[in-house]
Amino acid sequence: MLKNGKKYGVILLFIIFITCLYSFFSLQNAGDTPKSKTGLFLGTVINITIYDELSEHEFENICANIFKCLEEIEDKMSVNIEDSEISKINKNAGIQSVTVSPETFYVVNKGKYYCELSDGAFDITIGPLVNLWGIGSERANLPSKENISATIKHIDYNKVLLDEGNNSIYLMQDNMRLDLGAIAKGYAADVVRDYLIEKNVENAIINLGGNIYALGSRANEDHWNIGIQNPVEPRGAYVGIVHVSNKSVVTSGIYERYFMHEDKRYHHILSPFTGYPVENELASVSIVADQAIDGDGLSTTTFSLGLKNGANLLETIEGVDAIFITKNNEVYITSGLKNNFTLKNSDFTLKKTIIDEEL
Ligand code: FAD
Ligand code: MG
């Protein structure tokens, strides 16, 4: 939920969302009769669509519990909420460790794992830099080189001490600041999925602002068709469709959170090394994985690493696939998606699989 006056972009998000929802449903069976509910949590538009036969009362009850659950996650993990657990950790940077809930500990721990896996291209202590740029807020601005150089000194995931026995977290240096923006929505999608399964829901689409979990399948099929956003068109225009069941599809890209300055685009995935938005050949990466927390962690990680290094990293991880879209309209897929991805836009070229290509 947007607390503390953080309502920037909400109306715009709703308009975009309606377009997106329309396009999404147009991919589904005309005969399906889904029940759908939308809310605003985690700074984004959330949509839950259930395709099982449920009474209105059952559906409303399930959605109310899901929204409550999302609010609880936000209350624990948002940097925009003064007394969240993450804010408490940040306020105590260089002072003392803070004991947190098992949920927050789990997400920070996972986040640190992706920091290590990417040698710091992904870094959960990116907070001071996110704050400096303000991308996605009204105060988005191009900081001075001096400010950027001074700020990146506070980024270092090696200085996040995790004590598993006590669920406590300590940032070893003052001015450090955790930011779980690249991973907590994925965690939330998994929590919603687990709740739906507990309630015996078999077929649903969970959409947490582009972090999608596709539960079960559409009517008379064994999969869902999930559209992969065209990075140069408004939401709801697709480059292709990925066919999945019981998988998350999570996308990171340069096309939603950004601002323009002197004809240059400054997007929200920042390099902890340079302090500037990551510059490479990619416009977006979508990760297909069993767990949305891994999809979320890996979408930002592989985006930060770029096509070649990102693809090489994915080759070492089992059960994870990806769709890379480059700025020059090339689409690369990992081998696991060979039979599960259909290109739908002739402006783009499908480059077989990443392994087949000379990168
Ligand atoms: P992803 O690629 O998954 O993540 C990008 C985000 O991760 C960036 O926005 C930044 O926060 C961070 N990041 C940037 N570079 C790196 C890097 N190299 N390594 C690691 N992380 C990086 N937004 C609001 O406008 N208002 C809110 O009140 C608000 N509350 C939120 C509360 C929570 C608990 C969470 C998780 C997010 C919240 N957001 C809020 C953020 C919003 O939802 C973001 O758009 C979202 O987190 C970015 O996700 P993404 O999937 O678009 O991109
Ligand atoms: Mg992510």
Side-chain angles (χ1 to χ4, degrees):
M1 197 154 64
L2 298 183
K3 293 196 170 176
N4 303 343
K6 287 261 163 196
K7 297 200 173 173
Y8 174 72
V10 167
I11 295 170
L12 182 65
L13 271 173
F14 256 118
I15 296 167
I16 294 169
F17 179 73
I18 295 304
T19 319
C20 173
L21 201 61
Y22 174 79
S23 309
F24 170 74
F25 283 130
S26 66
L27 291 177
Q28 311 308 328
N29 267 358
D32 293 347
T33 50
K35 287 190 170 62
S36 186
K37 193 129 191 129
T38 299
L40 288 167
F41 298 91
L42 311 171
T44 191
V45 180
I46 305 296
N47 180 261
I48 311 295
T49 307
I50 298 180
Y51 289 76
D52 295 9
E53 288 293 329
L54 289 178
S55 72
E56 203 56 42
H57 175 71
E58 282 171 317
F59 176 72
E60 288 298 329
N61 200 23
I62 284 175
C63 288
N65 284 334
I66 288 174
F67 288 176
K68 191 165 157 261
C69 192
L70 292 174
E71 197 171 349
E72 280 167 15
I73 292 173
E74 189 167 4
D75 284 346
K76 286 183 183 127
M77 301 184 199
S78 176
V79 288
N80 299 315
I81 294 174
E82 277 259 329
D83 60 351
S84 74
E85 292 180 337
I86 293 299
S87 295
K88 279 184 196 152
I89 295 167
N90 290 343
K91 279 180 199 153
N92 281 290
I95 304 171
Q96 60 184 351
S97 65
V98 174
T99 301
V100 296
S101 60
E103 295 79 26
T104 300
F105 192 87
Y106 169 72
V107 177
V108 174
N109 200 15
K110 262 279 183 191
K112 196 172 174 194
Y113 168 76
Y114 285 111
C115 298
E116 284 158 4
L117 200 65
S118 66
D119 278 334
F122 178 96
D123 197 317
I124 49 170
T125 65
I126 197 91
L129 196 60
V130 171
N131 194 38
L132 180 70
W133 281 88
I135 298 172
S137 75
E138 283 149 328
R139 53 178 192 82
N141 75 109
L142 176 61
S144 69
K145 278 189 185 138
E146 293 70 29
N147 265 345
I148 287 176
S149 304
T151 304
I152 57 177
K153 293 196 177 105
H154 304 302
I155 302 173
D156 185 356
Y157 68 90
N158 290 303
K159 292 182 180 151
V160 180
L161 283 192
L162 299 175
D163 180 348
E164 209 156 351
N166 297 318
N167 275 348
S168 72
I169 301 175
Y170 177 47
L171 304 181
M172 291 167 71
Q173 199 180 295
D174 61 358
N175 292 320
M176 284 181 75
R177 207 174 140 96
L178 290 176
D179 180 311
L180 299 181
I183 195 159
K185 275 196 300 177
Y187 165 73
D190 288 337
V191 170
V192 174
R193 183 258 336 260
D194 291 346
Y195 176 73
L196 288 177
I197 291 173
E198 189 189 311
K199 290 285 150 192
N200 299 317
V201 171
E202 290 179 348
N203 306 295
I205 298 285
I206 302 157
N207 187 346
L208 308 189
N211 278 234
I212 292 170
Y213 191 90
L215 180 65
S217 64
R218 68 185 228 177
N220 309 319
E221 299 266 3
D222 62 358
H223 62 265
W224 287 105
N225 295 327
I226 304 296
I228 301 298
Q229 173 67 35
N230 183 338
V232 293
E233 294 279 339
R235 256 208 201 187
Y238 298 120
V239 167
I241 289 170
V242 62
H243 316 288
V244 291
S245 175
N246 296 322
K247 296 272 183 196
S248 66
V249 183
V250 180
T251 301
S252 286
I254 61 171
Y255 53 86
E256 271 188 1
R257 285 206 168 208
Y258 67 91
F259 70 95
M260 299 298 292
H261 178 73
E262 292 174 355
D263 290 335
K264 191 169 159 54
R265 180 195 294 248
Y266 295 89
H267 65 82
H268 70 141
I269 302 175
L270 304 167
S271 163
F273 310 125
T274 66
Y276 286 84
V278 170
E279 285 265 11
N280 59 32
E281 66 281 83
L282 294 173
S284 73
V285 183
S286 301
I287 300 285
V288 179
D290 289 333
Q291 305 295 327
I293 191 167
D294 294 316
D296 201 359
L298 280 171
S299 67
T300 317
T301 296
T302 47
F303 185 95
S304 302
L305 291 175
L307 179 57
K308 187 175 179 183
N309 291 336
N312 284 341
L313 173 69
L314 290 181
E315 289 304 330
T316 68
I317 305 171
E318 223 174 287
V320 172
D321 278 297
I323 300 144
F324 292 82
I325 302 180
T326 66
K327 287 173 187 155
N328 62 354
N329 287 10
E330 291 176 340
V331 181
Y332 291 82
I333 56 171
T334 49
S335 49
L337 291 181
K338 248 180 180 170
N339 302 318
N340 296 321
F341 179 79
T342 312
L343 190 73
K344 288 284 180 190
N345 185 324
S346 56
D347 292 344
F348 290 79
T349 316
L350 184 57
K351 306 293 276 185
K352 294 192 229 156
T353 65
I354 292 166
I355 305 167
D356 298 338
E357 293 293 322
E358 278 295 313
L359 293 177

